[in-house]
């Protein structure tokens, strides 16, 4: 069957979109889906250890979200402009790839002023896409002082659909507790369900963990605007598969241990770093792999993920991973059972 964009549409009731996280990270609901039988169970996230044994391995994405959203004012007109930092292009010249909103007001040569003292200024150097710009920051101070200024003025880049400004709760909760390597503009959301207590219980049970880094970019959430999926291009995202992680994953698979990918970002990173013999190799670079059905996963992994938006690339990956009919059944069950959806929502374990 040739899948098209319309195959991945479903009606998501607005009231099921989680606006805030649950009070305790590991007390989100957990839907457990068994691919072999089609059985669906309803649990709480901290019950996840019931499905794993000593020496099983959880692969975590330790990327850290940075305060990527800035608000500034356009020179002369004073119009409020949102500048969303995507990636640093050149540290020395302070050149960045960004998105601007409203984009129609921002042209090459425009200057945007930030902060009450206006001692951080950005000049637009180039147009990259309809909303994308290359900008150069002008700031009198060292690189360290410049980066601190970005943090001071920045806001956590919570998703736009939440329709609210980020606050102190988001600074803590839109970040995993194992976040270490700064560079993501969106959280690897399935990792948000892990608490210190749960990691401690995993350690006591002998369930092991290892970490990779994949900086989640907006490419993961970029809308698919073509009915023919083969014509959709993913934006590239930066990945580090560390030697220790590669070794642990290969050993676990060799010994028939369960290996669980925490998040679709982790799964895409691992699938992108395989040799022809299906071995994970250490890898540093950029990936833009778009996974949609039909696709044969080469690693026999389990997956922890959230409930994602209609017609999203993540939904397509899940369809390839668990089978389209089972996935749609799981989503319709989640709606019927009032699961919470999207970034701050509930989780799914696919076995």
């Amino acid at each position: 069957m040739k899948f098209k964009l319309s195959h991945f549409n479903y009606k998501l009731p607005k009231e099921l979109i989680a606006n805030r996280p649950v009070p305790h990270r590991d007390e989100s609901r957990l839907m457990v889906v068994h691919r072999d039988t089609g059985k669906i169970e309803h649990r709480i996230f901290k019950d996840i250890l019931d499905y794993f044994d000593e020496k099983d391995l959880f692969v975590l994405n330790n990327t850290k979200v940075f305060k990527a959203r800035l608000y500034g004012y356009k020179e002369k007109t004073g119009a409020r402009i949102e500048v969303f930092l995507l990636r640093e292009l050149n540290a020395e010249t302070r050149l960045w790839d960004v998105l601007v909103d409203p984009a129609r007001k921002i042209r090459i040569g425009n200057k945007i002023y930030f902060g009450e003292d206006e001692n951080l200024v950005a000049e637009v150097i180039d147009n990259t896409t309809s909303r994308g710009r290359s900008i150069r920051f002008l700031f009198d101070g060292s690189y360290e002082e410049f980066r601190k200024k970005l943090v001071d003025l920045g806001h956590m880049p919570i998703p736009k659909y939440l329709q609210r400004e980020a606050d102190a709760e988001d600074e803590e909760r839109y970040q995993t507790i194992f976040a270490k390597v700064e560079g993501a503009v969106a959280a690897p959301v399935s990792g948000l369900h892990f608490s210190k207590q749960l990691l401690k219980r995993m350690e006591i049970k002998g369930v092991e963990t290892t970490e990779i880094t994949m900086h989640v970019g907006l490419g993961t959430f970029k809308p698919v605007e073509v009915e023919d999926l083969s014509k959709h291009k993913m934006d590239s995202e930066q990945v580090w598969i560390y030697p220790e992680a590669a070794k642990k994953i290969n050993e676990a698979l060799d010994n028939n241990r369960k290996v669980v990918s925490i998040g679709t970002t982790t799964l895409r990173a691992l699938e992108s770093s395989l040799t022809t013999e299906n071995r994970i190799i250490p890898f540093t670079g950029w990936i833009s792999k778009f996974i949609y059905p039909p696709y044969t996963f080469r690693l026999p992994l389990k997956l922890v993920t959230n409930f994602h938006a209609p017609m999203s690339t993540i939904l397509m990956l899940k369809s390839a991973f668990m089978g389209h009919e089972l996935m749609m059944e799981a989503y319709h069950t989640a709606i019927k059972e009032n699961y919470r959806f999207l970034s701050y929502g509930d989780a799914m374990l696919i076995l």
Side-chain angles (χ1 to χ4, degrees):
M1 175 180 176
K2 187 172 166 65
F3 285 92
K4 296 178 179 172
L5 178 62
S6 48
H7 286 111
F8 299 92
N9 202 2
Y10 70 91
K11 193 167 177 10
L12 172 56
K14 275 202 175 79
E15 63 272 16
L16 295 186
I17 297 173
N19 194 260
R20 294 274 177 187
V22 292
H24 302 288
R25 286 179 185 268
D26 58 12
E27 290 182 0
S28 296
R29 293 171 74 190
L30 176 69
M31 177 184 283
V32 182
V33 183
H34 299 260
R35 283 178 289 180
D36 53 351
T37 62
K39 181 183 171 189
I40 293 175
E41 299 178 80
H42 305 289
R43 305 290 296 270
I44 299 296
F45 194 81
K46 59 187 176 187
D47 298 338
I48 195 168
L49 291 190
D50 293 352
Y51 298 90
F52 298 97
D53 303 303
E54 190 179 357
K55 301 283 189 194
D56 287 343
L57 181 66
F58 280 39
V59 186
L60 312 171
N61 182 1
N62 67 12
T63 187
K64 188 174 185 179
V65 182
F66 70 98
K67 293 183 172 181
R69 187 171 276 134
L70 300 172
Y71 295 103
Y73 296 91
K74 188 178 167 187
E75 67 173 340
K76 294 179 184 156
T77 67
R80 188 180 195 237
I81 305 294
E82 178 191 306
V83 174
F84 194 97
L85 303 173
L86 291 177
R87 63 175 70 106
E88 187 174 53
L89 300 173
N90 187 311
E92 201 177 324
T93 58
R94 297 175 189 171
L95 196 64
W96 282 73
D97 203 3
V98 304
L99 297 176
V100 292
D101 191 22
R104 67 184 185 281
K105 293 186 175 179
I106 299 299
R107 297 187 174 87
I108 294 171
N110 287 162
K111 287 198 172 111
I112 303 166
Y113 292 83
F114 301 94
E116 286 176 18
D117 56 7
E118 294 186 351
N119 67 355
L120 181 66
V121 184
E123 183 178 5
V124 180
I125 304 298
D126 198 9
N127 294 336
T128 51
T129 61
S130 58
R131 287 182 57 216
R133 303 288 185 272
S134 295
I135 65 171
R136 177 176 290 126
F137 282 104
L138 312 170
F139 178 74
D140 293 329
S142 68
Y143 181 72
E144 289 69 30
E145 289 167 326
F146 163 64
R147 290 304 297 243
K148 184 181 182 303
K149 192 75 176 172
L150 290 185
V151 171
D152 291 345
L153 292 172
H155 301 258
M156 281 303 263
I158 59 171
K160 281 269 192 184
Y161 62 74
L162 293 180
Q163 297 182 323
R164 61 178 179 82
E165 301 266 319
D167 57 24
E169 183 184 38
D170 298 306
E171 291 204 16
E172 183 200 348
R173 296 297 299 275
Y174 196 63
Q175 195 82 272
T176 65
I177 62 165
F178 39 80
K180 291 187 186 76
V181 186
E182 191 173 88
V185 298
V189 295
S190 50
L192 298 178
H193 304 288
F194 287 83
S195 64
K196 284 178 182 162
Q197 293 87 342
L198 181 56
L199 289 182
K200 190 69 190 166
R201 284 176 48 227
M202 287 168 66
E203 194 185 316
I204 291 165
K205 189 166 184 175
V207 174
E208 298 182 354
T209 62
T210 192
E211 296 178 2
I212 66 152
T213 305
M214 177 168 168
H215 290 328
V216 188
L218 289 181
T220 299
F221 305 98
K222 182 178 173 184
V224 179
E225 294 171 336
V226 285
E227 189 67 12
D228 180 352
L229 301 182
S230 66
K231 291 190 164 55
H232 178 73
K233 297 284 181 284
M234 292 284 281
D235 291 348
S236 55
E237 294 163 304
Q238 202 169 10
V239 169
W240 288 262
I241 309 281
Y242 305 106
E244 183 198 349
K247 183 169 178 281
K248 281 183 91 165
I249 295 165
N250 288 330
E251 283 176 357
L253 293 173
D254 289 345
N255 291 300
N256 291 319
R257 303 290 181 192
K258 293 192 192 88
V259 178
V260 56
S261 169
I262 306 305
T264 54
T265 50
T266 302
L267 186 59
R268 276 203 302 128
L270 295 179
E271 279 284 315
S272 300
S273 66
L274 285 170
T275 66
T276 48
E277 288 83 35
N278 291 349
R279 306 292 286 173
I280 297 278
I281 53 167
F283 171 78
T284 301
W286 296 79
I287 66 163
S288 56
K289 193 177 188 70
F290 175 31
I291 296 175
Y292 59 94
Y295 177 88
T296 303
F297 284 87
R298 290 159 60 197
L299 290 173
L301 304 182
K302 318 301 176 194
L303 177 64
V304 172
T305 180
N306 274 30
F307 291 91
H308 294 286
M311 300 192 291
S312 60
T313 59
I314 309 174
L315 200 64
M316 294 164 195
L317 181 148
K318 283 166 77 169
S319 166
F321 187 80
M322 63 192 294
H324 192 73
E325 280 183 29
L326 181 57
M327 184 196 74
M328 293 309 281
E329 184 194 342
Y331 268 66
H332 289 133
T333 302
I335 290 167
K336 198 173 112 211
E337 298 289 333
N338 290 319
Y339 273 73
R340 301 164 80 249
F341 277 65
L342 308 189
S343 294
Y344 275 143
D346 294 318
M348 182 190 284
L349 168 63
I350 306 168
L351 294 170

